[in-house]
């Protein structure tokens, strides 16, 4: 899968077919029932005139296939009885999706069978909806009527109102009135008024409610619905769309729960933005909060590795990549408003799921340019004052390494206890990895596809991350609420040609212990682009300090040599994730450890020293896992017991492993020596290479440094 | 990697650029020094006229890049001192490769700098060779002069004589004489006469010797060299090229050591065949032994899964796919002589390493057609009487499942003790897998890249394969010589639209025990294409019988439910591979076990019953592995202790797991019941589905059945 995406990235630009048809567009006649939302007649005409554009061709093909599949079955409107996954739930979900599919095809192709089908669904619901009471399975605080959860009801409104909008001008007065009074008025009333407590929440689910109600307001000419959607049920601005944007997304476009949930939260955010822009351009929604909506879309894409997979922070399903359909609305919107739309043509191609809306108008004039992933400091929190993610990239494409340092907000119920954790990638492959969520998503046999118990006992625990663990405890004692009240803080960030670096501190995760992490991408002559990774812990008491690296690949060299356990494996610890680790072996105390991995076509060596001696533990997940829920993954853990300890690792990509031509070069690390000394708050690192070069690097470890100009020096001795 | 190859398979045909240039070819003027081997002036002209063909463009580009890289360094002819991997070894190897590269470019492009470079290498060796004695590191029985092994010397002749041939007509009389007397005459004499014992061996290494000497004979007009190459040093026919073909390749084109070594053995076989065809077409070498040379090439490709990776039988490096450069000569040859050359255009594209020879003439007239992988019975042994491999495929492309049953020869020193072992693939992904060789190929840190000790203690052991293990012993007591004297025998083979099946027996692997395995691909209404896998063991004494399945993917359902060990893992056994397995858990005795895996976008369930009850053991590799040489892989093992036991498994691919659109269907097995009964030598299998369908299948278990028409019946109850 990963390779496939890389392949696509390279191939797409070359393959692009750009239509060069006439650019004149027909001016729509004034018609109060003309489409008003994301796809208007103008957009439809453009799309049909440019069917040979590969993006349009693909999406149009999918629409046609989906419609042809839908009409094979008779339409049904079962009494709402089942919860998610059940018959009535899945049938109503298919109905609203099919209504939008058919209505869109009608708008595009004037296909009267599609019109009839969309109409039948809307009229069917108009007949049914007024008679529904709350859903029998709706035992939560927020039940729907068609669905067990109000969330699903809100999503259905987003689809159905768009379907109605697309066929509105083809309806008779009578049909129109039937649908409005039978379906949309009661549905909006149910969502906006009867379910006001949800509608006015600050939560990504409520975003769907405001999107649906706001769009219904535009289409049915109810400005008060729009007002409620944008400014909350009481129109005070303390809830509603703008307040949600304020609270849920940081000014840099980051969503606290992490990239996996970010792409989901993005969809209603974007749909309503596009509808507002079409109907009330004077609001300048895309300029709101310094353009945070478009920034959020761009940040979502930047939060993926160069193979397209999202960084698996917090509760993430690792299979999620930018191919995800939720980006189907977002990417065209950012394309439409970007100063450099050519870049987004490629991303839309990688996504492959663009929704056909007016945002695509102009596509025929755009070239395809390789998208660049950048070195970024992405501030977290509503005002950008709650820590950040720092992403350091040696290369904007897939040629180098990427390091990510996390010190933002916890991420609420989906957060992991991984302050100051890092991820590290080589050529788009995970090398130092995050387990993601412990979950077999959508696989019924595994706990219904929901989060497994091991999500709480392993995946979100501190030891499951590439960050320091004190006394085998979790950060914040494993308490989500406590963790949500805190975050790390940046010390510095540099993004220059010669060095890309970030440092952060956290003094709250473990009481009485000051933690820092510094990560720097530097190019050393003869060694190439290496990553320096520094972790410090300072305390007045002595603590057991464990620094884990969860590596991906096959270990081909280990120093010190450790004989792995032969006949018996025992568990490493009792709780906080340690109960899931088998201890494969442990070294004597050392001050230099090196491990070389092969992964894909490259080698990677982790060379580690510290100011105090430490042991190397070799571990593997799988203990205390009676149902075999955990994937078997390996880790090395550096362990020492000290009041103060500073670890320094040099992460070194090297060599070339060509299995097709059976040629290997540079398989061995170029680093032969590594020492670290701390004096007066300055860390001095010496690196010796096998060709007897010596480098000296200095990092100041003070918490208070010039954010843009910290004290780092690099010299060749 | 796997996905990438599949992608290529689908994309290549569409992308192909076929040149439609003038088809007239210039007739070469008669010139005794004109090129005589694989690439002549005629071929060179064709290639240069069709540079826009993607295959030619790619290979030409590689040649140019290789030449430009080579000339950046000064030419050196170091005194031969080092063994493989050392400086003198690698320099001489690069020299002979660069000589051929440069000479080929000269022939193609009349590039005089390339001519000068090739000439300098040949004249350099002509000056050096007469003064060389045997290599100082040549402590083996068969030393070279430039190289420590005669094998490398033979390979160098194959390259150098082709380089000479390509520039022969551009040499002065004096240069020509210098090279012939200084280099080729002494080299041929050394290989053919002074190293006669190797030259006349029946071994794939010696194939290089005869290829080099034979080609030198054609170019330098020494018919007696050709005679020695084709018929052995004493020209008796008891050794030499034809005898080697007789002995090394089965009539169906299988090489006993397995596909990994087959593609290596193929290269000199093909090169000499093409040279003979060009110089002595009257020999009709491609018709020899019923066309075995072309058959061997076709079989090599058929011995790969639909993702292009070779079946990893015996000591196989699993990274090897049809992209391997050794197929660069073979594929054009079979293309040139195939009755359906269009099929081979796609395979050449997947390979991507075609060598530019006369075999490509005509390429511009050929279409690209998807290559079909077939259901095959590939007989083993020089006369095809030493067992076989049966490959059963539900689909010629990548849409279905593939089952392979191995019961041919052992494979000499590279053989594994895996008689009646199976491999099973779904959509090109390994589901029931072979470990391949225990080796980090070309990674110096891991035992110099050579076979690891664990190749003998794990990888080639019976328990490491999907085949029955008796009393925790290896087949043939783990004795290669003994195993080489035996093989399995086919009982039947069917390849019809409704059923593809094979069965084989082996009564020699374990003294006193009769073993059979039957594998059948059948389509059952409502269940789809499933594989029935039957293993029987019969003995007069009671034995511990272990049937392992080495699966790939994540287990999402297990029946009976087994609580895995929580706090401690112990080793499963003491020797014969068992010492490398951790025991994760074991079930109570049962008569029905089911395990569902998710792998890629599909689910796979293994449902197993037996005539006697058995336990299910869950194991993982990694015990007694102090250097961490083994990859961590999982297996389930069915265990019972009986005189006679017959296991029946239904291997069922099902459902669809779409992670992009987050849709899952058919995640659960459709099989709810499975029973097996044996009466009067007939096995009756009953399959019940969750929708209460019932199927009854009968297999006769007699060793003597009508090979083409065995007793198998399938009915719906």
């Amino acid at each position: 899968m990963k390779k496939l995406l890389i392949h696509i990235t390279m191939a797409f630009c070359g393959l692009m077919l750009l239509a060069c048809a006439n650019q004149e567009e027909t001016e729509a006649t004034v018609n109060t029932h003309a489409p008003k939302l994301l796809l208007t007649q103008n957009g439809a005409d453009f799309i049909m005139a440019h069917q040979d554009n590969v993006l349009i061709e693909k999406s149009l093909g999918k629409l046609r296939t989906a419609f042809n599949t839908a009409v094979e079955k008779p339409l049904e409107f079962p009494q709402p009885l089942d919860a998610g996954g059940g018959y009535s739930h899945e049938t109503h979900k298919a109905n609203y999706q099919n209504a939008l599919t058919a209505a869109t095809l009608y708008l595009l192709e004037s296909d009267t069978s599609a019109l009839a089908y969309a109409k039948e669904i809307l009229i069917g619901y108009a007949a049914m909806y007024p008679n529904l009471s709350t859903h029998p399975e709706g035992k939560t605080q927020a039940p729907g009527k068609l669905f067990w959860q109000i969330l699903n009801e809100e999503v259905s409104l987003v689809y159905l109102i768009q379907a109605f909008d697309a066929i509105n001008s083809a309806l008779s007065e009578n049909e129109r009135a039937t649908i409005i009074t039978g379906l949309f008025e009661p549905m909006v009333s149910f969502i906006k008024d009867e379910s006001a407590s949800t509608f006015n929440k600050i939560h990504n689910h409520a975003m769907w409610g405001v999107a649906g109600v706001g769009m219904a307001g535009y289409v049915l000419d109810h400005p008060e619905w729009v007002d409620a959607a944008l400014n909350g049920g009481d129109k005070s601005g303390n809830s509603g769309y703008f307040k949600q944007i304020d609270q849920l997304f940081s000014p840099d476009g980051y969503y606290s729960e992490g990239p996996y949930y970010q792409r989901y939260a993005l969809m209603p955010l974007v749909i309503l933005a596009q509808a507002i822009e079409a109907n009330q351009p004077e609001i300048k929604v895309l300029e709101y909060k310094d353009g945070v909506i478009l920034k959020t879309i761009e940040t979502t894409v930047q939060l993926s590795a160069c193979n397209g997979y999202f960084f698996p922070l917090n509760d993430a399903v690792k299979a999620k990549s930018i191919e995800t359909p939720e980006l189907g609305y977002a990417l065209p919107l950012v394309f439409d408003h970007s100063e450099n739309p050519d870049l987004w043509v490629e991303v839309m191609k990688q996504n492959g799921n663009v929704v056909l809306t007016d945002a695509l108008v102009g596509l025929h004039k755009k070239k395809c340019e390789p998208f660049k992933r950048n070195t970024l400091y992405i501030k977290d929190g509503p005002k950008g004052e709650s820590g950040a993610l720092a992403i350091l990239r040696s290369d904007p494409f897939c040629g180098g390494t990427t390091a990510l340092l996390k010190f933002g907000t916890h991420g609420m119920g989906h957060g992991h206890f991984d302050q100051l954790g890092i991820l590290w990638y080589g050529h788009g492959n995970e090398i130092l990895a995050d387990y993601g969520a412990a979950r077999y998503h959508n696989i019924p046999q595994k706990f219904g596809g929901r989060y497994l118990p091991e999500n709480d006992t392993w995946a979100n625990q501190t030891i499951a991350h590439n960050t320091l663990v004190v006394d085998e405890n979790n950060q914040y004692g494993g308490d989500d609420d406590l963790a949500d009240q805190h975050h790390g803080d940046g010390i510095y960030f540099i993004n220059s040609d010669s060095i890309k670096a970030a440092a952060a501190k956290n003094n709250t995760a473990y009481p009485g212990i000051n933690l820092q992490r510094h990560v720097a991408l530097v190019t050393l002559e003869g060694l190439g682009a290496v990553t320096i990774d520094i972790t410090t812990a300072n305390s007045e008491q002595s603590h057991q300090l464990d620094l884990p690296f969860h590596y991906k690949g096959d270990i081909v060299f280990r120093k010190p040599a450790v004989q792995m356990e032969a006949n018996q494996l025992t568990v490493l610890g009792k709780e906080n994730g340690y109960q899931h680790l088998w201890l494969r072996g442990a070294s004597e105390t050392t001050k230099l450890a090196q491990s070389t991995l092969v992964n894909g076509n490259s080698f990677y060596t982790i060379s580690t020293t510290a100011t105090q001696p430490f042991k190397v533990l070799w571990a593997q997940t799988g203990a205390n896992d009676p149902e075999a829920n955990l994937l078997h993954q390996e880790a090395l853990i550096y362990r020492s017991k000290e009041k103060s300890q500073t670890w320094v690792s040099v992460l070194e990509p090297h060599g070339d492993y060509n299995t097709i031509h059976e040629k290997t070069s540079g398989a061995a690390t170029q680093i032969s020596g590594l020492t670290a000394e701390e004096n007066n708050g300055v860390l001095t690192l010496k690196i010796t290479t096998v060709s007897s070069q010596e480098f000296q690097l200095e990092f100041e470890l003070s918490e208070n440094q010039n954010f843009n100009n910290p004290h780092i020096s690099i010299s060749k001795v």
Side-chain angles (χ1 to χ4, degrees), chain A residues 126-271:
Chain A
M128 176 182 220
Y129 205 81
N131 306 317
L132 294 177
S133 47
T134 54
H135 195 284
E137 288 288 320
K139 286 165 190 156
T140 62
Q141 283 188 309
K145 287 184 166 183
L146 281 171
F147 297 96
W148 68 315
Q149 291 188 107
I150 187 80
L151 169 65
N152 304 100
E153 201 96 350
E154 293 167 338
V155 175
S156 77
L157 177 56
V158 169
Y159 279 80
L160 292 171
I161 191 63
Q162 290 187 84
F164 174 83
D165 183 53
I167 64 166
N168 191 1
S169 63
L171 297 173
S172 70
E173 280 300 330
N174 195 21
E175 288 165 343
R176 185 177 299 118
T178 301
I179 295 169
I180 293 173
T181 56
L183 174 59
F184 289 117
E185 287 178 353
M187 195 180 236
V188 167
S189 166
F190 177 67
I191 289 173
K192 179 169 73 72
D193 304 323
E194 295 163 50
S195 310
S197 70
T198 301
F199 185 76
N200 294 311
K201 255 199 194 129
I202 304 299
H203 187 277
N204 100 59
H205 288 187
M207 191 64 99
W208 286 97
V210 303
V213 170
M215 290 201 291
Y218 287 127
V219 174
L220 306 180
D221 198 20
H222 285 293
E224 73 282 12
W225 294 2
V226 175
D227 198 1
L230 301 188
N231 302 307
D234 64 0
K235 291 147 198 178
S236 68
N238 288 328
S239 63
Y241 186 62
F242 290 112
K243 189 70 180 177
Q244 298 225 42
I245 296 176
D246 290 346
Q247 294 291 313
L248 293 179
F249 296 92
S250 86
D252 287 343
Y254 183 70
Y255 178 68
S256 170
E257 292 183 322
Y260 175 71
Y261 280 98
Q262 169 144 354
R263 51 90 230 175
Y264 185 66
L266 203 60
M267 193 168 163
L269 173 81
V270 163
I271 289 177

Side-chain angles (χ1 to χ4, degrees), chain A residues 22-28 42-43 45-46 49-50 361-362 364:
Chain A
N22 199 320
Q23 291 173 29
E24 294 167 50
E25 267 101 30
T26 324
E27 198 171 307
N42 185 30
D45 291 344
F46 174 87
H50 298 91
V361 172
H364 61 305

Side-chain angles (χ1 to χ4, degrees), chain A residues 524-663:
Chain A
L524 302 180
E525 197 191 320
L527 273 181
V530 298
T531 303
I532 312 290
D533 172 38
I534 302 166
T535 300
T536 70
N538 284 293
S539 159
E540 295 187 355
Q541 272 83 43
S542 178
H543 296 279
Q544 178 183 297
L545 304 171
D546 284 353
L547 180 64
F549 282 121
H550 298 269
Y551 57 83
K552 294 268 190 180
D554 301 326
I555 293 275
V556 297
F557 173 71
R558 295 179 296 135
K559 179 182 172 176
V562 173
Q563 300 275 305
M564 300 298 203
E565 294 296 336
N567 293 305
Q568 189 173 306
L569 282 187
T570 52
V571 68
L572 182 60
K574 292 205 166 145
E575 54 188 358
N576 300 323
Y578 283 76
Q579 75 278 22
H580 289 302
L581 287 171
W582 297 116
L583 176 61
R584 299 172 65 204
S587 77
E588 295 301 305
T589 296
T590 184
K591 282 195 89 172
L592 177 61
Q594 292 189 292
S595 306
T596 301
L597 288 160
V598 61
N599 182 323
N601 297 123
S602 286
F603 297 90
Y604 302 90
T605 294
I606 308 166
S607 299
T608 303
T609 186
T611 51
Q612 305 298 331
F614 59 92
K615 290 183 178 183
V616 187
L617 277 55
W618 293 90
Q620 191 196 340
T621 45
N624 280 290
D625 180 24
E627 305 300 327
N629 284 339
L630 290 172
L631 304 177
H632 291 166
Q633 299 188 349
E634 298 175 12
L636 59 88
I637 302 171
Y638 299 127
R639 172 172 288 183
S640 58
K641 191 163 183 181
E642 301 288 345
K643 290 181 182 174
S644 295
Q645 172 67 300
T646 300
W647 274 280
V648 183
S649 297
V650 182
L651 311 177
E652 172 201 6
H654 54 94
D656 184 54
Y657 186 51
N658 184 327
T659 56
I660 292 171
H661 290 278
E662 300 195 353
K663 281 185 185 165

Side-chain angles (χ1 to χ4, degrees), chain A residues 88-129:
Chain A
S88 75
H89 180 98
E90 295 301 323
T91 304
H92 291 300
K93 186 173 166 188
N95 282 351
Y96 70 64
Q97 290 172 337
N98 292 336
L100 180 55
T101 297
T104 305
L105 272 182
Y106 169 70
L107 183 50
L108 291 170
E109 303 188 322
S110 309
D111 176 342
T112 51
S113 70
L115 169 64
Y117 188 80
K119 205 193 286 188
E120 194 179 342
I121 295 175
L122 292 169
I123 289 177
Y125 280 118
M128 176 182 220
Y129 205 81

